[in-house]
Amino acid sequence: HQLRTPLAGLRLRLEGAQAASTPADADRHLVAATAELDRLSLMIDELLLLSRTGEHDAPGDVLDLGAASAAAQERWAPALRDRDQTLTVSIEAAAAGVFAAQVDVDRALDVLIENASRYSPEGTTVSIICHETMLEVTDEGPGLSDEDAAHVFDRFTRGGVGRRSG
């Protein structure tokens, strides 16, 4: 089910590029189509990761959370601009460096940013806040109900807003 959403978005963007009356319109649709491909690729990677449960984890290293935040901003800013949203990064404290797998940090940021964007109104801001040893993603969306919050870490569970928005 979740794979259909970026595939449908990709199809719409490519059709939009084909029907565009100006090169700028076509380019905007192609950039958005690339973002949908990236999203689809991420979902496939996550499914592959789930299928390899019990296999070795990705190797850890000392990471700079500020650099990870900046890389996430670079990956996601175009997609948020298409939704008339802004993605900001603020460094609240000098990053001490954390031991983690880069792929895991990137995946966590991608999921949080995507959800923050999806459930926030157009014209709002999604923020990545880099603390000394922690990252925080904030948004201007409706938040979780108490019922959804109780199940937020359950696998394959979607909240009430997610079920309504497809």
Side-chain angles (χ1 to χ4, degrees):
H1 167 72
Q2 284 185 314
L3 296 176
R4 287 189 186 124
T5 302
L7 283 173
L10 178 59
R11 174 178 292 282
L12 288 171
R13 293 302 187 161
L14 291 174
E15 289 172 353
Q18 287 174 328
S21 58
T22 67
D25 285 342
D27 188 52
R28 183 176 54 83
H29 284 291
L30 290 173
V31 167
T34 301
E36 292 295 339
L37 276 175
D38 291 343
R39 225 176 85 174
L40 181 60
S41 178
L42 177 66
M43 286 181 184
I44 290 170
D45 287 347
E46 288 174 346
L47 288 172
L48 289 171
L49 180 68
L50 285 173
S51 74
R52 292 190 292 255
T53 301
E55 290 186 13
H56 299 290
D57 290 335
D61 202 355
V62 177
L63 304 179
D64 176 344
L65 294 179
S69 300
Q73 183 181 35
E74 188 174 321
R75 282 192 308 275
W76 283 95
L80 270 70
R81 266 195 305 273
D82 283 349
R83 286 187 44 91
D84 191 29
Q85 294 172 325
T86 303
L87 179 60
T88 64
V89 173
S90 64
I91 309 295
E92 297 291 318
V98 297
F99 188 80
Q102 184 72 55
V103 67
D104 291 340
V105 172
D106 291 345
R107 184 179 301 114
L109 278 170
D110 288 347
V111 168
L112 292 171
I113 293 166
E114 180 181 17
N115 282 339
S117 174
R118 176 179 288 166
Y119 298 114
S120 293
E122 291 186 7
T124 59
T125 299
V126 174
S127 299
I128 305 170
I129 305 165
C130 184
H131 302 279
E132 186 176 358
T133 58
M134 178 183 78
L135 293 173
E136 180 180 3
V137 176
T138 63
D139 62 64
E140 299 175 47
L144 293 172
S145 69
D146 290 341
E147 181 181 341
D148 288 342
H151 299 286
V152 75
F153 292 109
D154 295 347
R155 254 190 197 173
F156 305 114
T157 299
R158 294 182 75 187
V161 173
R163 286 190 298 272
R164 286 190 296 277
S165 66

